Amino acid sequence: MAWTCPAPLRDQSRVVMGHGGGGAMSAELVQHVFAPAFGGAALAQMGDSAAVELGGARLAFSTDSFVVRPLFFPGGSIGDLAVNGTVNDLAMSGARAAYMSCGFILEEGVELAVVSRVAEALGAAARCAGVEVATGDTKVVEAGHGDGIFINTSAIGLIPPGVDLRPQRVVPGDVVIVSGPIGVHGVAIMSVREGLEFGVEIESDCAALGGLVESMLAVTHDLHVLRDPTRGGLAAALNEIAAASGAGVVVQERGVPVPAAVANACAVLGLDPMYVANEGKLVAFVPREQADAVLAAMRSHPLGREAAIIGEAVEAHPGMVVARTGLGGTRVVDMPIGEQLPRIC
Protein backbone atom coordinates (compact mmCIF):
# COMPACT_ATOMS: atom_id res chain seq x y z
CA MET A 1 0.00 0.00 0.00
CA ALA A 2 1.19 3.52 -0.82
CA TRP A 3 1.05 5.02 2.67
CA THR A 4 1.61 8.74 3.15
CA CYS A 5 3.13 10.10 6.35
CA PRO A 6 0.20 11.69 8.24
CA ALA A 7 2.44 14.11 10.14
CA PRO A 8 5.29 15.38 7.95
CA LEU A 9 7.74 17.92 9.32
CA ARG A 10 6.09 21.34 9.49
CA ASP A 11 9.27 23.26 8.66
CA GLN A 12 8.86 22.88 4.90
CA SER A 13 10.01 24.97 1.97
CA ARG A 14 7.72 23.07 -0.42
CA VAL A 15 4.12 21.92 -0.37
CA VAL A 16 3.60 18.44 1.07
CA MET A 17 0.48 16.28 1.27
CA GLY A 18 -0.12 17.35 4.86
CA HIS A 19 -0.87 20.90 3.66
CA GLY A 20 -4.11 19.59 2.14
CA GLY A 21 -5.28 17.57 5.12
CA GLY A 22 -7.51 20.06 6.90
CA GLY A 23 -5.33 20.02 10.03
CA ALA A 24 -2.69 22.27 11.54
CA MET A 25 -0.55 22.37 8.39
CA SER A 26 -3.54 23.45 6.28
CA ALA A 27 -4.33 26.17 8.81
CA GLU A 28 -0.75 27.42 8.76
CA LEU A 29 -0.76 27.54 4.96
CA VAL A 30 -3.93 29.65 5.00
CA GLN A 31 -2.82 31.89 7.86
CA HIS A 32 0.71 32.56 6.64
CA VAL A 33 0.35 32.52 2.85
CA PHE A 34 -3.20 33.07 1.63
CA ALA A 35 -4.84 35.25 4.30
CA PRO A 36 -2.09 37.93 4.28
CA ALA A 37 -2.16 38.01 0.47
CA PHE A 38 -5.94 38.29 0.17
CA GLY A 39 -7.06 40.10 3.34
CA GLY A 40 -10.67 41.21 3.81
CA ALA A 41 -13.26 40.93 6.55
CA ALA A 42 -15.25 38.17 4.83
CA LEU A 43 -12.19 35.92 4.55
CA ALA A 44 -11.32 36.57 8.18
CA GLN A 45 -14.41 34.61 9.25
CA MET A 46 -12.54 31.40 8.35
CA GLY A 47 -15.75 29.35 8.40
CA ASP A 48 -17.05 26.60 6.14
CA SER A 49 -18.64 29.41 4.14
CA ALA A 50 -18.51 33.20 4.27
CA ALA A 51 -21.54 35.23 5.35
CA VAL A 52 -21.69 38.38 3.20
CA GLU A 53 -24.13 41.26 2.69
CA LEU A 54 -25.19 42.03 -0.88
CA GLY A 55 -28.08 44.21 -2.00
CA GLY A 56 -29.74 44.02 1.38
CA ALA A 57 -29.61 40.22 1.45
CA ARG A 58 -27.41 38.09 3.70
CA LEU A 59 -25.72 35.42 1.61
CA ALA A 60 -23.60 32.39 2.36
CA PHE A 61 -20.86 31.84 -0.22
CA SER A 62 -18.44 28.93 -0.46
CA THR A 63 -16.04 27.22 -2.84
CA ASP A 64 -14.44 23.78 -2.76
CA SER A 65 -12.29 21.48 -4.89
CA PHE A 66 -12.46 17.70 -5.15
CA VAL A 67 -9.54 15.43 -5.96
CA VAL A 68 -10.75 12.14 -4.47
CA ARG A 69 -9.13 8.91 -5.57
CA PRO A 70 -10.75 6.68 -6.76
CA LEU A 71 -13.44 8.56 -8.67
CA PHE A 72 -16.12 6.02 -7.71
CA PHE A 73 -16.46 4.39 -4.31
CA PRO A 74 -19.12 2.58 -2.26
CA GLY A 75 -21.90 5.05 -1.61
CA GLY A 76 -20.92 7.73 -4.10
CA SER A 77 -18.50 9.33 -6.52
CA ILE A 78 -16.53 12.51 -7.05
CA GLY A 79 -19.70 13.94 -8.61
CA ASP A 80 -21.75 13.34 -5.46
CA LEU A 81 -18.98 14.80 -3.32
CA ALA A 82 -18.71 17.91 -5.49
CA VAL A 83 -22.34 18.77 -4.78
CA ASN A 84 -22.79 17.55 -1.23
CA GLY A 85 -19.50 18.88 0.09
CA THR A 86 -20.27 22.34 -1.28
CA VAL A 87 -23.92 22.64 -0.26
CA ASN A 88 -23.02 21.34 3.21
CA ASP A 89 -20.58 24.20 3.67
CA LEU A 90 -23.49 26.59 3.10
CA ALA A 91 -25.76 24.55 5.37
CA MET A 92 -23.30 25.12 8.22
CA SER A 93 -24.19 28.82 7.91
CA GLY A 94 -27.89 27.94 8.00
CA ALA A 95 -28.35 28.56 4.26
CA ARG A 96 -29.87 26.28 1.65
CA ALA A 97 -27.77 26.48 -1.53
CA ALA A 98 -29.64 28.02 -4.46
CA TYR A 99 -27.07 28.11 -7.27
CA MET A 100 -23.69 26.54 -7.81
CA SER A 101 -20.88 26.57 -10.34
CA CYS A 102 -18.97 23.55 -11.54
CA GLY A 103 -15.50 23.49 -13.10
CA PHE A 104 -14.12 20.25 -14.56
CA ILE A 105 -10.36 19.78 -14.96
CA LEU A 106 -9.93 16.73 -17.18
CA GLU A 107 -6.77 14.79 -17.89
CA GLU A 108 -6.05 14.02 -21.52
CA GLY A 109 -6.95 10.38 -22.17
CA VAL A 110 -9.71 9.95 -19.61
CA GLU A 111 -12.62 8.06 -21.12
CA LEU A 112 -15.62 10.17 -22.06
CA ALA A 113 -17.86 7.47 -20.61
CA VAL A 114 -16.24 8.13 -17.22
CA VAL A 115 -16.72 11.89 -17.60
CA SER A 116 -20.36 11.33 -18.51
CA ARG A 117 -20.91 9.05 -15.54
CA VAL A 118 -19.44 11.64 -13.16
CA ALA A 119 -21.50 14.44 -14.74
CA GLU A 120 -24.70 12.42 -14.41
CA ALA A 121 -23.95 11.69 -10.75
CA LEU A 122 -23.25 15.37 -10.12
CA GLY A 123 -26.50 16.42 -11.81
CA ALA A 124 -28.55 13.88 -9.87
CA ALA A 125 -26.98 14.97 -6.57
CA ALA A 126 -27.70 18.62 -7.38
CA ARG A 127 -31.36 17.87 -8.07
CA CYS A 128 -31.61 15.89 -4.85
CA ALA A 129 -30.05 18.78 -2.88
CA GLY A 130 -32.33 21.34 -4.56
CA VAL A 131 -29.47 23.39 -6.01
CA GLU A 132 -29.17 24.48 -9.65
CA VAL A 133 -25.87 24.21 -11.53
CA ALA A 134 -25.99 27.66 -13.10
CA THR A 135 -22.54 28.02 -14.68
CA GLY A 136 -19.37 26.05 -15.26
CA ASP A 137 -16.06 25.63 -17.02
CA THR A 138 -13.95 22.86 -18.54
CA LYS A 139 -10.18 22.65 -18.87
CA VAL A 140 -7.98 19.81 -20.14
CA VAL A 141 -4.40 19.13 -19.00
CA GLU A 142 -1.85 16.89 -20.69
CA ALA A 143 -1.71 13.19 -19.88
CA GLY A 144 0.32 12.67 -16.73
CA HIS A 145 -0.47 16.14 -15.37
CA GLY A 146 -3.74 15.27 -13.63
CA ASP A 147 -5.51 12.29 -12.18
CA GLY A 148 -8.47 11.72 -14.48
CA ILE A 149 -10.93 14.29 -13.15
CA PHE A 150 -10.69 17.15 -10.67
CA ILE A 151 -13.76 19.28 -9.89
CA ASN A 152 -14.09 22.77 -8.44
CA THR A 153 -17.45 24.08 -7.25
CA SER A 154 -18.85 27.24 -5.67
CA ALA A 155 -22.32 27.91 -4.29
CA ILE A 156 -24.46 30.71 -2.90
CA GLY A 157 -27.59 30.72 -0.78
CA LEU A 158 -29.63 32.96 1.50
CA ILE A 159 -29.13 32.90 5.26
CA PRO A 160 -32.53 33.08 7.03
CA PRO A 161 -33.18 36.16 9.19
CA GLY A 162 -32.18 35.66 12.82
CA VAL A 163 -29.67 32.88 12.10
CA ASP A 164 -26.14 33.57 13.31
CA LEU A 165 -23.95 30.46 13.28
CA ARG A 166 -20.31 31.03 14.21
CA PRO A 167 -17.90 29.58 16.78
CA GLN A 168 -17.57 32.89 18.63
CA ARG A 169 -21.11 32.31 19.97
CA VAL A 170 -20.13 29.13 21.82
CA VAL A 171 -20.29 29.49 25.61
CA PRO A 172 -19.56 27.10 28.50
CA GLY A 173 -22.58 24.91 29.07
CA ASP A 174 -23.38 24.42 25.39
CA VAL A 175 -24.19 20.83 24.51
CA VAL A 176 -22.27 19.13 21.68
CA ILE A 177 -24.36 16.97 19.34
CA VAL A 178 -23.14 14.84 16.42
CA SER A 179 -25.70 13.86 13.78
CA GLY A 180 -24.67 10.21 13.44
CA PRO A 181 -21.89 7.61 13.25
CA ILE A 182 -18.46 8.99 12.33
CA GLY A 183 -15.56 7.81 10.17
CA VAL A 184 -17.62 6.07 7.50
CA HIS A 185 -16.52 8.07 4.44
CA GLY A 186 -12.79 7.86 5.07
CA VAL A 187 -12.87 4.11 5.70
CA ALA A 188 -15.05 3.54 2.62
CA ILE A 189 -12.49 5.36 0.46
CA MET A 190 -9.53 3.52 1.95
CA SER A 191 -11.19 0.09 1.62
CA VAL A 192 -11.74 0.42 -2.11
CA ARG A 193 -8.48 2.29 -2.77
CA GLU A 194 -6.34 -0.35 -1.15
CA GLY A 195 -8.54 -3.38 -1.89
CA LEU A 196 -9.12 -4.06 1.80
CA GLU A 197 -11.99 -6.20 3.08
CA PHE A 198 -13.46 -5.94 6.57
CA GLY A 199 -16.17 -8.59 6.36
CA VAL A 200 -18.86 -6.06 5.37
CA GLU A 201 -18.95 -3.38 2.69
CA ILE A 202 -18.60 0.08 4.22
CA GLU A 203 -20.42 2.77 2.23
CA SER A 204 -19.68 6.48 2.32
CA ASP A 205 -22.12 8.66 4.26
CA CYS A 206 -22.00 11.28 1.47
CA ALA A 207 -25.24 13.31 1.67
CA ALA A 208 -26.61 16.85 1.50
CA LEU A 209 -27.39 18.17 4.99
CA GLY A 210 -29.58 21.16 4.13
CA GLY A 211 -32.82 19.45 5.10
CA LEU A 212 -31.41 18.27 8.43
CA VAL A 213 -30.24 21.79 9.29
CA GLU A 214 -33.66 23.20 8.39
CA SER A 215 -35.31 20.75 10.78
CA MET A 216 -32.97 21.95 13.54
CA LEU A 217 -33.62 25.62 12.79
CA ALA A 218 -37.36 24.92 12.88
CA VAL A 219 -36.92 24.20 16.60
CA THR A 220 -34.81 27.28 17.33
CA HIS A 221 -32.70 29.81 15.45
CA ASP A 222 -30.49 30.01 18.52
CA LEU A 223 -28.06 27.32 17.41
CA HIS A 224 -24.55 28.56 18.16
CA VAL A 225 -22.38 26.85 15.57
CA LEU A 226 -22.51 23.97 13.07
CA ARG A 227 -19.60 22.24 11.34
CA ASP A 228 -19.37 19.30 8.95
CA PRO A 229 -16.35 17.27 10.08
CA THR A 230 -14.80 16.39 6.71
CA ARG A 231 -10.99 16.45 6.39
CA GLY A 232 -9.45 15.93 9.82
CA GLY A 233 -12.67 14.37 11.06
CA LEU A 234 -14.55 15.19 14.25
CA ALA A 235 -11.32 16.01 16.07
CA ALA A 236 -10.39 18.81 13.65
CA ALA A 237 -13.90 20.32 13.71
CA LEU A 238 -14.01 20.37 17.52
CA ASN A 239 -10.53 21.86 17.76
CA GLU A 240 -11.37 24.60 15.25
CA ILE A 241 -14.46 25.54 17.25
CA ALA A 242 -12.60 25.45 20.57
CA ALA A 243 -9.78 27.62 19.24
CA ALA A 244 -12.11 30.20 17.68
CA SER A 245 -14.46 30.38 20.68
CA GLY A 246 -11.90 30.19 23.47
CA ALA A 247 -14.04 27.59 25.26
CA GLY A 248 -12.84 24.18 26.31
CA VAL A 249 -14.62 21.09 24.98
CA VAL A 250 -15.14 17.81 26.83
CA VAL A 251 -16.23 14.75 24.83
CA GLN A 252 -17.49 11.51 26.35
CA GLU A 253 -15.54 9.00 24.27
CA ARG A 254 -18.06 6.20 24.73
CA GLY A 255 -20.83 8.54 23.60
CA VAL A 256 -19.31 9.14 20.18
CA PRO A 257 -21.12 6.84 17.73
CA VAL A 258 -18.60 4.71 15.81
CA PRO A 259 -19.94 1.81 13.70
CA ALA A 260 -18.40 -1.54 14.54
CA ALA A 261 -17.11 -1.94 10.98
CA VAL A 262 -15.36 1.44 11.18
CA ALA A 263 -13.90 0.68 14.60
CA ASN A 264 -12.58 -2.67 13.35
CA ALA A 265 -11.12 -1.14 10.20
CA CYS A 266 -9.44 1.64 12.17
CA ALA A 267 -7.98 -0.92 14.59
CA VAL A 268 -6.49 -2.85 11.67
CA LEU A 269 -5.15 0.28 9.98
CA GLY A 270 -3.93 1.98 13.14
CA LEU A 271 -6.31 4.94 12.72
CA ASP A 272 -8.36 6.92 15.22
CA PRO A 273 -12.03 7.28 14.12
CA MET A 274 -12.09 10.79 15.61
CA TYR A 275 -9.69 11.89 12.86
CA VAL A 276 -11.31 10.06 9.92
CA ALA A 277 -13.28 12.12 7.37
CA ASN A 278 -17.06 12.27 7.09
CA GLU A 279 -19.17 13.64 4.22
CA GLY A 280 -22.72 13.45 5.58
CA LYS A 281 -22.43 14.35 9.25
CA LEU A 282 -22.47 17.56 11.27
CA VAL A 283 -21.52 18.59 14.77
CA ALA A 284 -23.59 21.23 16.58
CA PHE A 285 -23.07 23.37 19.68
CA VAL A 286 -26.51 24.07 21.11
CA PRO A 287 -27.67 25.96 24.24
CA ARG A 288 -28.39 23.41 26.95
CA GLU A 289 -32.02 24.45 27.32
CA GLN A 290 -32.62 23.74 23.61
CA ALA A 291 -30.56 20.54 23.34
CA ASP A 292 -33.30 17.95 23.92
CA ALA A 293 -35.68 19.54 21.42
CA VAL A 294 -32.96 19.93 18.80
CA LEU A 295 -31.84 16.32 19.30
CA ALA A 296 -35.42 15.10 18.88
CA ALA A 297 -35.78 17.09 15.64
CA MET A 298 -32.54 15.63 14.32
CA ARG A 299 -33.61 12.09 15.13
CA SER A 300 -36.87 12.64 13.25
CA HIS A 301 -34.91 13.36 10.05
CA PRO A 302 -33.49 10.49 7.94
CA LEU A 303 -29.94 11.90 8.17
CA GLY A 304 -30.09 12.35 11.94
CA ARG A 305 -31.72 9.16 13.20
CA GLU A 306 -28.60 8.21 15.15
CA ALA A 307 -27.79 11.70 16.42
CA ALA A 308 -26.22 11.72 19.88
CA ILE A 309 -25.08 14.13 22.57
CA ILE A 310 -21.34 13.58 22.92
CA GLY A 311 -20.11 16.36 25.21
CA GLU A 312 -20.22 19.99 26.26
CA ALA A 313 -18.36 23.27 26.17
CA VAL A 314 -16.63 24.12 29.46
CA GLU A 315 -14.69 26.94 31.11
CA ALA A 316 -11.73 24.68 31.90
CA HIS A 317 -8.78 24.22 29.50
CA PRO A 318 -9.88 27.03 27.11
CA GLY A 319 -9.28 26.29 23.43
CA MET A 320 -8.56 22.61 24.12
CA VAL A 321 -10.54 19.44 23.38
CA VAL A 322 -10.42 16.64 25.94
CA ALA A 323 -12.01 13.19 25.76
CA ARG A 324 -13.12 11.27 28.84
CA THR A 325 -12.32 7.62 28.26
CA GLY A 326 -14.35 4.59 29.23
CA LEU A 327 -11.82 3.82 31.96
CA GLY A 328 -12.45 7.12 33.68
CA GLY A 329 -9.32 8.89 32.48
CA THR A 330 -8.91 11.76 30.06
CA ARG A 331 -6.89 12.36 26.93
CA VAL A 332 -6.22 15.44 24.89
CA VAL A 333 -7.72 15.32 21.41
CA ASP A 334 -5.22 17.41 19.46
CA MET A 335 -5.69 19.13 16.14
CA PRO A 336 -4.31 16.75 13.50
CA ILE A 337 -1.08 17.91 11.89
CA GLY A 338 -1.73 16.60 8.39
CA GLU A 339 -4.19 13.92 7.32
CA GLN A 340 -4.47 10.23 8.12
CA LEU A 341 -6.05 9.46 4.74
CA PRO A 342 -5.09 11.78 1.85
CA ARG A 343 -7.25 12.38 -1.24
CA ILE A 344 -10.56 11.48 0.43
CA CYS A 345 -12.57 14.42 -0.92
Side-chain angles (χ1 to χ4, degrees):
M1 293 183 291
W3 294 104
T4 301
C5 177
L9 295 175
R10 293 163 72 174
D11 183 15
Q12 294 282 344
S13 60
R14 298 178 184 272
V15 172
V16 297
M17 289 300 294
H19 284 121
M25 293 188 73
S26 292
E28 290 174 358
L29 183 66
V30 171
Q31 292 166 3
H32 298 300
V33 177
F34 298 128
F38 302 157
L43 183 64
Q45 298 172 32
M46 294 296 176
D48 286 334
S49 61
V52 297
E53 300 279 346
L54 184 65
R58 191 159 172 253
L59 300 175
F61 178 41
S62 184
T63 189
D64 210 338
S65 298
F66 300 87
V67 296
V68 66
R69 180 171 57 85
L71 299 176
F72 305 96
F73 47 84
S77 71
I78 190 173
D80 300 284
L81 281 177
V83 172
N84 295 335
T86 306
V87 302
N88 287 349
D89 284 346
L90 265 63
M92 299 307 104
S93 294
R96 177 70 79 106
Y99 298 99
M100 65 179 290
S101 68
C102 178
F104 275 75
I105 301 172
L106 308 176
E107 183 182 18
E108 180 185 24
V110 66
E111 295 181 4
L112 286 175
V114 172
V115 178
S116 178
R117 185 180 170 192
V118 169
E120 289 173 359
L122 191 152
R127 288 187 290 274
C128 183
V131 62
E132 180 179 345
V133 180
T135 188
D137 182 51
T138 304
K139 294 292 188 296
V140 177
V141 298
E142 297 89 342
H145 289 75
D147 197 2
I149 299 174
F150 296 154
I151 300 177
N152 173 266
T153 53
S154 295
I156 57 171
L158 289 171
I159 300 175
V163 174
D164 183 17
L165 297 170
R166 49 192 173 88
Q168 291 77 15
R169 297 193 62 216
V170 170
V171 296
D174 280 358
V175 171
V176 183
I177 305 175
V178 68
S179 64
I182 66 168
V184 181
H185 176 71
V187 172
I189 294 292
M190 180 56 69
S191 65
V192 67
R193 182 186 297 173
E194 304 297 347
L196 302 175
E197 295 184 4
F198 302 107
V200 60
E201 183 177 69
I202 302 174
E203 291 193 354
S204 171
D205 58 350
C206 184
L209 296 170
L212 176 61
V213 172
E214 288 176 353
S215 70
M216 298 166 69
L217 291 174
V219 172
T220 176
H221 279 190
D222 192 29
L223 305 177
H224 284 171
V225 68
L226 302 177
R227 283 290 168 90
D228 57 334
T230 53
R231 295 177 304 166
L234 182 61
L238 293 176
N239 272 279
E240 289 171 355
I241 293 169
S245 68
V249 177
V250 174
V251 173
Q252 302 295 332
E253 198 167 55
R254 282 189 171 177
V256 178
V258 180
V262 170
N264 293 337
C266 286
V268 170
L269 298 171
L271 305 177
D272 184 340
M274 291 279 286
Y275 294 89
V276 178
N278 313 270
E279 284 294 345
K281 300 295 185 298
L282 64 80
V283 60
F285 282 63
V286 180
R288 184 171 297 279
E289 59 272 19
Q290 305 282 3
D292 289 342
V294 171
L295 181 63
M298 295 173 72
R299 287 178 171 172
S300 69
H301 191 278
L303 296 179
R305 289 193 182 115
E306 298 180 76
I309 293 174
I310 62 169
E312 63 180 336
V314 297
E315 291 184 1
H317 50 77
M320 183 181 297
V321 181
V322 170
R324 290 191 178 136
T325 68
L327 298 176
T330 60
R331 68 181 179 97
V332 174
V333 181
D334 285 324
M335 184 73 164
I337 300 298
E339 185 173 37
Q340 292 188 117
L341 304 174
R343 302 283 299 278
I344 45 76
C345 66

